[in-house]
Amino acid sequence: MRPLLGTHIVDLGTLYYVYIGLMAVFCTNAINILAGINGVEVGQSIVIALSIIAKDIANVNSGNAESEYNHLFTLYLLLPFVGVSSALYYWNVYPARVFVGDTYCYFAGMTFAVCGILGHFSKTLLLLFLPQVFNFVYSAPQIFGLVPCPRHRLPKMAVDNPLPRRLVSRLRQEVDPDQRSDSSSEGSPANPVVDGDAVGTLSGVHQAISTAMMSFSKGKGRRTKRSASGRRSRSASAPSAHLSAYMVASRTTLEGARPLGLAIVRLYEFLGIADVERDDQGNMISVNNLTLLNLVLVLRGRLTESQLNNCILLIQILNSLLAFFIRYRLSHLFYF
């Protein structure tokens, strides 16, 4: 572009203020959109902050007074931020005792925006936000109404049912006498699953099963008590080992989806980043909710909440390494 423009410097003027405004809006909402499970909001913020800190430490003694001031300014903001966020992460990671909401997400996003704008590394900051950028682009069909968007797009929590099939069948028959006791032989899975959505639909049956499950698990074993030193026991809040809780991708119907939305879903299916359900005629009837959390579950299968959180943090760490590679090895292609 430089030969075409005939200059090495382009004065954006008022457009620069539009750019930094969009940067602030994007950073705050990017953290807020990639959220929904314990630890993921704080975890991704810590990884991004530590990546920026590493960059600042590596460049703080560059010999340029202005550059040194910018790096020190960023360090002064992010070091306390990492300290506070680390303490919060300890209590927010599964099983969470403290929960974050819009307040922390907006605070974290604006902190990064201020550092990127006043520290003059907004392009590097966008590289560190590539998972959030992908999550936004991937979610765009639902965000812009091309595909039906439910109020909550979080992954669903499901529980492996440890009860014997005969006991499950008997409980269902007690609640619904018309239920055939031999229904388990009609193609039902060998290991029934209690789904969070089904609990609300068949409350009578599933409430009885859930009560029996809790009694069954308590009879099989006891949770670990707090140690004599009074340290916090995380297992005291964790589900029993006999009730294997895991997360699966939530879905949305494609009824009422616009033609452009259906075309994008077909493209996602072709690329292998969407799980589309079809009827007997081959028509698309549902798809997983279009978020990075659900996509990881589609690609990896069911995961516990801790495993899903660790996957997202691993993606964030690998992206930071990619961002540094682009910044310091391919800078001649992306930086002017």
Side-chain angles (χ1 to χ4, degrees):
M1 294 294 292
R2 292 180 184 180
L4 295 178
L5 296 174
T7 179
H8 291 275
I9 299 176
V10 177
D11 185 7
L12 296 178
T14 307
L15 291 178
Y16 179 74
Y17 296 100
V18 176
Y19 168 72
I20 62 175
L22 293 175
M23 169 74 72
V25 172
F26 167 76
C27 288
T28 53
N29 286 280
I31 299 294
N32 199 30
I33 292 176
L34 184 52
I37 61 173
N38 292 333
V40 71
E41 300 97 328
V42 186
Q44 63 181 308
S45 299
I46 292 175
V47 173
I48 294 173
L50 289 176
S51 301
I52 298 174
I53 289 173
K55 179 191 71 68
D56 290 331
I57 293 175
N59 295 277
V60 70
N61 294 320
S62 61
N64 185 301
E66 182 180 359
S67 175
E68 180 178 346
Y69 172 82
N70 292 334
H71 292 304
L72 288 175
F73 170 81
T74 305
L75 286 173
Y76 294 154
L77 286 181
L78 290 184
L79 288 176
F81 174 81
V82 170
V84 172
S85 297
S86 297
L88 176 60
Y89 182 77
Y90 176 81
W91 294 101
N92 179 243
V93 73
Y94 181 85
R97 298 292 186 88
V98 175
F99 302 93
V100 299
D102 291 344
T103 301
Y104 177 82
C105 294
Y106 292 154
F107 161 68
M110 186 56 68
T111 299
F112 295 137
V114 169
C115 290
I117 294 169
L118 298 184
H120 300 287
F121 60 92
S122 57
K123 288 181 286 187
T124 302
L125 181 64
L126 287 178
L127 291 176
L128 296 173
F129 270 83
L130 283 181
Q132 289 74 19
V133 173
F134 173 83
N135 184 63
F136 173 76
V137 174
Y138 183 63
S139 302
Q142 287 189 306
I143 294 176
F144 294 106
L146 301 177
V147 173
C149 183
R151 180 175 179 83
H152 298 292
R153 301 185 297 164
L154 308 180
K156 295 192 303 181
M157 181 67 74
V159 179
D160 274 344
N161 189 347
L163 297 178
R165 282 183 293 169
R166 292 181 180 179
L167 180 55
V168 173
S169 179
R170 182 172 62 82
L171 287 170
R172 286 175 174 166
Q173 191 172 16
E174 288 178 359
V175 177
D176 185 3
D178 296 331
Q179 179 77 17
R180 292 178 57 184
S181 60
D182 59 346
S183 60
S184 60
S185 62
E186 298 178 359
S188 60
N191 189 17
V193 172
V194 177
D195 189 288
D197 291 340
V199 171
T201 307
L202 301 174
S203 58
V205 175
H206 287 275
Q207 184 175 2
I209 295 176
S210 299
T211 303
M213 288 168 63
M214 296 305 296
S215 300
F216 179 82
S217 62
K218 289 180 180 179
K220 293 278 288 184
R222 298 293 180 183
R223 295 175 180 174
T224 304
K225 296 182 179 180
R226 293 192 178 187
S227 61
S229 61
R231 294 181 181 176
R232 175 191 174 210
S233 175
R234 302 184 79 83
S235 60
S237 301
S240 170
H242 301 287
L243 289 178
S244 180
Y246 59 90
M247 308 201 81
V248 295
S250 60
R251 307 187 66 83
T252 184
T253 178
L254 290 176
E255 182 180 357
R258 298 185 180 183
L260 178 58
L262 294 176
I264 295 175
V265 170
R266 292 190 187 94
L267 176 62
Y268 285 175
E269 183 183 24
F270 174 77
L271 296 175
I273 57 175
D275 179 25
V276 178
E277 181 185 5
R278 298 177 179 271
D279 59 16
D280 296 336
Q281 288 73 37
N283 300 316
M284 298 186 298
I285 57 177
S286 72
V287 67
N288 61 281
N289 280 307
L290 304 177
T291 66
L292 182 58
L293 292 175
N294 286 304
L295 176 59
V296 171
L297 292 171
V298 168
L299 298 178
R300 289 289 309 276
R302 66 185 191 181
L303 298 171
T304 65
E305 190 165 354
S306 296
Q307 291 172 335
L308 179 57
N309 178 53
N310 292 337
C311 285
I312 298 299
L313 297 188
L314 178 60
I315 292 173
Q316 194 72 57
I317 293 172
L318 294 176
N319 176 75
S320 294
L321 297 177
L322 174 63
F324 288 144
F325 177 76
I326 295 174
R327 173 64 182 87
Y328 294 106
R329 294 297 180 182
L330 303 178
S331 58
H332 62 285
L333 299 177
F334 297 94
Y335 289 79
F336 308 103

